[in-house]
Structure formats: C-alpha cells, structure tokens
Amino acid sequence: EARRDRWSITGDFIWLKVSASSQPTPNSYIGVRQEQILGTLTLGYEIYGNDRTSIDLLAGGVVNALDADLELFTPRLPVTVRGRTGSEEWVDPFVGLRVRHQLTDRWSLWARGDYGGFGVSSDEYWQAIAGVAYRITESTSLALAYRIVSVDYQKGQFIYDTEMSGPNVGLVISF
C-alpha cells in the first residue's frame, strides 16, 4: 500500500493451486488440477478518519488467470477425456469499502469488501476479508485474516462459477 493524505494505492496478489485425483473403480481414473492467480490494483479515498479509525471508498480492477487440467477415464461409460487443458485470463472492475481500527500502537483490526464484474468480463465478482494486524516496524505489519472470493465467469463453453474461502497470512508493507 502506498498512501498520501487521503489517497491510497493498494496491490494484492493471490496464488492458488488445487489438485485432486481418484480411482473409483479398478479401471477408472479422474484427476483435476487448477492453478489460479488473482491480482488486484485498488485506488482508495478516505471518506472518514480520526486517530483510531478510517473508512476508505475503493475502486479498482482484478486480473484472473486460470489454468486447468482434467483427466477422466471410465470404461463402463462412453466417456474418455485425456489431458483436457484450458486457460483463461480476464479483468473485472470493482468498487469496495475498507474499514481499519487501531486497537493499540501495534495491533489493529480491518475489514474490506469488494463487489464487481458488472458483466464486463464476469457476471459477478466479490470478495470479503477481515483480519487482525500486528505492526512489526513503522512500515511493516504481519496480518492474519479470513477471506472469501466469489467469481461467476463464462466465455463460450468455459464456465467458472466458484467461491473460495480460507485463512490468509500476509506481510503488509506501507510507504
């Protein structure tokens, strides 16, 4: 995050890799691998601020890059897919709100919500994240949070309608 007066610019990066495989019967196999990168660039404007609490209006864009592989073999059904691979990249605009509250000199709470897509690329994109941060130095903090990201994207035969959630650990560097 870079901040000057009431304005801020924030970058955020998520790398996700998921894979699973199974052999439900002796002669069948299913395997799935997905790798995804989500990167956001956000412009913020502080609409409220005092010594302990600030509220920012946000606007920005999120880049999604997704690679997926599918392998499926079932001898009892007329289905065989080997090495089906696909990739998609798209950009979605969003608006949002961020609230930060300083508990002590070192500890703070924060929450952020974004909503977007608007049919530009995705029909809908949203995320919600809340966490706690501990300031290590004047410009560096360690953050623990819980995040939910939802994407509803379709292009031709490619459909990606998913919700991902889980804990996050982050290093926050402020300039």
Side-chain angles (χ1 to χ4, degrees), residues 20-32 71-75 81:
S21 64
S22 178
Q23 192 170 4
T25 64
N27 294 326
S28 66
Y29 174 81
I30 184 167
V32 178
E71 289 185 271
L72 175 64
F73 176 72
T74 59
V81 177

Side-chain angles (χ1 to χ4, degrees), residues 95-109:
V95 294
L97 191 67
R98 176 176 55 197
V99 177
R100 291 182 285 196
H101 181 72
Q102 198 70 37
L103 295 170
T104 67
D105 288 345
R106 296 211 179 258
W107 291 96
S108 62
L109 298 173

Side-chain angles (χ1 to χ4, degrees), residues 78-128:
V79 176
T80 300
V81 177
R82 293 187 191 257
R84 177 86 181 203
T85 302
S87 65
E88 287 287 329
E89 296 87 26
W90 66 94
V91 178
D92 284 314
F94 65 83
V95 294
L97 191 67
R98 176 176 55 197
V99 177
R100 291 182 285 196
H101 181 72
Q102 198 70 37
L103 295 170
T104 67
D105 288 345
R106 296 211 179 258
W107 291 96
S108 62
L109 298 173
W110 53 276
R112 173 180 170 161
D114 299 335
Y115 183 83
F118 310 113
V120 173
S121 291
S122 296
D123 289 335
E124 184 178 57
Y125 159 83
W126 63 267
Q127 81 161 329

Side-chain angles (χ1 to χ4, degrees), residues 146-158:
Y146 192 84
R147 182 188 308 240
I148 302 170
V149 178
S150 178
V151 180
D152 183 3
Y153 173 81
Q154 181 175 348
K155 182 179 178 184
Q157 297 292 331
F158 182 82

Side-chain angles (χ1 to χ4, degrees), residues 21-44:
S21 64
S22 178
Q23 192 170 4
T25 64
N27 294 326
S28 66
Y29 174 81
I30 184 167
V32 178
R33 184 200 62 82
Q34 173 186 316
E35 190 168 352
Q36 183 174 5
I37 294 173
L38 287 95
T40 62
L41 186 60
T42 308
L43 179 64

Side-chain angles (χ1 to χ4, degrees), residues 3-81:
R3 199 164 186 82
R4 182 172 178 135
D5 299 320
R6 300 181 102 171
W7 292 96
S8 65
I9 296 175
T10 305
D12 188 24
F13 176 82
I14 299 172
W15 172 65
L16 175 70
K17 187 173 184 179
V18 179
S19 63
S21 64
S22 178
Q23 192 170 4
T25 64
N27 294 326
S28 66
Y29 174 81
I30 184 167
V32 178
R33 184 200 62 82
Q34 173 186 316
E35 190 168 352
Q36 183 174 5
I37 294 173
L38 287 95
T40 62
L41 186 60
T42 308
L43 179 64
Y45 182 76
E46 184 180 277
I47 57 171
Y48 173 81
N50 64 28
D51 292 343
R52 300 183 70 128
T53 305
S54 66
I55 301 172
D56 294 346
L57 283 177
L58 308 172
V62 57
V63 175
N64 276 280
L66 178 71
D67 288 317
D69 296 318
L70 172 66
E71 289 185 271
L72 175 64
F73 176 72
T74 59
R76 295 181 190 258
L77 297 173
V79 176
T80 300
V81 177

